[in-house]
Amino acid sequence: MTASATLEAMDEAISQKAIPAEISQTAEEQRATVSLPTAIDRVVLTGFMGSGKTTAGRRLAERLGWTFRDLDSEVERREGRTVPQIFAESGEAEFRRLESAALASLLGQHRLVLALGGGAPEVLGNRLLLEQTPKTAIVYLQAPLETLLERCERAAEAGETARPLLGEAEVRLRRRHPVYDRLADHRVTTTEMDVEAVCEAVLAKLRG
Ligand code: S3P
């Protein structure tokens, strides 16, 4: 396209009051009650099973007017099977492969709050991808094992989430804690906090 053709196209857009996609607002964004520095375009919540990634992530996205995605749900949607089904039928290695593929595809989105699965950061390729995705803030939601197990038990009783690896929680948490910690830009301890308090704490960290 020549320079004059470009200018003509711009004039045309201005005269039609066409607003570039990046500055037009969705209904969700208009309802948003908080905003983040422009250097952040994605918030990724990490932490062990029961740390509140999904619950807090959904609420955080609502407050920001951003899109919320849960990595486990994305795997289930793409695969047409639940996480426990994938573990039972195909094994953990296959689940991890599906999880990495879903992560790579989700990280292309903007204005995204993403709740990772508890095991996703154990995979080196996932960590590299997260670290190299620009404008991505990673927040580690942490809590003691006892609290995490209590929450998972409550969720299981309510029929919410079956977690195939819960039996190995203690060993896995010990192994993962340093991994979560190193990967994170921010850490929030969620013990005794309700979802609103967790959101506030995450927002405070992100806004510096
Ligand atoms: C897993 C955590 C689960 C889910 C799968 C494996 C793990 O996600 O990805 O059951 O390895 O810790 P949540 O952390 O959302 O429960």
Side-chain angles (χ1 to χ4, degrees):
M1 196 185 261
T2 64
S4 67
T6 310
L7 285 173
E8 265 173 39
M10 283 170 68
D11 283 346
E12 175 76 18
I14 290 164
S15 71
Q16 289 181 9
K17 296 198 173 62
I19 303 168
E22 60 273 20
I23 60 167
S24 70
Q25 279 197 320
T26 62
E28 286 76 22
E29 283 161 0
Q30 282 165 15
R31 276 196 297 271
T33 55
V34 287
S35 62
L36 290 180
T38 53
I40 302 177
D41 198 24
R42 294 170 199 83
V43 177
V44 174
L45 300 181
T46 185
F48 203 68
M49 295 176 263
S51 58
K53 304 177 295 282
T54 304
T55 318
R58 188 172 290 123
R59 181 68 186 123
L60 190 64
E62 229 171 62
R63 295 202 51 196
L64 290 166
W66 288 11
T67 303
F68 172 71
R69 291 281 182 270
D70 177 78
L71 187 56
D72 286 333
S73 307
E74 187 63 15
V75 170
E76 291 183 333
R77 191 190 62 77
R78 289 163 64 115
E79 197 50 19
R81 295 188 285 169
T82 65
V83 170
Q85 264 175 333
I86 300 171
F87 268 80
E89 294 165 8
S90 312
E92 182 174 353
E94 174 65 1
F95 172 75
R96 296 295 168 208
R97 201 189 58 72
L98 298 168
E99 183 178 52
S100 296
L103 176 64
S105 118
L106 285 175
L107 284 177
Q109 296 191 24
H110 301 276
R111 292 173 179 163
L112 171 74
V113 178
L114 173 62
L116 294 183
E122 270 200 281
V123 178
L124 173 65
N126 293 344
R127 296 202 296 278
L128 293 174
L129 186 64
L130 286 160
E131 281 166 353
Q132 287 165 15
T133 304
K135 299 177 119 188
T136 301
I138 305 174
V139 184
Y140 174 19
L141 300 185
Q142 53 186 358
L145 179 65
E146 205 179 64
T147 309
L148 297 168
L149 289 177
E150 248 172 56
R151 290 181 187 157
C152 289
E153 213 170 284
R154 252 183 282 138
E157 278 166 16
E160 282 168 26
T161 328
R163 287 164 158 130
L165 296 178
L166 202 54
E168 300 170 28
E170 192 170 352
V171 177
R172 296 244 180 182
L173 179 60
R174 206 175 311 126
R175 189 166 81 204
R176 287 178 188 171
H177 168 73
V179 177
Y180 295 142
D181 196 51
R182 268 198 304 273
L183 181 66
D185 301 302
H186 306 284
R187 290 139 203 94
V188 170
T189 302
T190 67
T191 329
E192 312 273 309
M193 276 192 189
D194 66 10
V195 59
E196 295 302 329
V198 174
C199 279
E200 281 307 324
V202 170
L203 286 167
K205 298 267 181 181
L206 295 173
R207 296 160 113 189

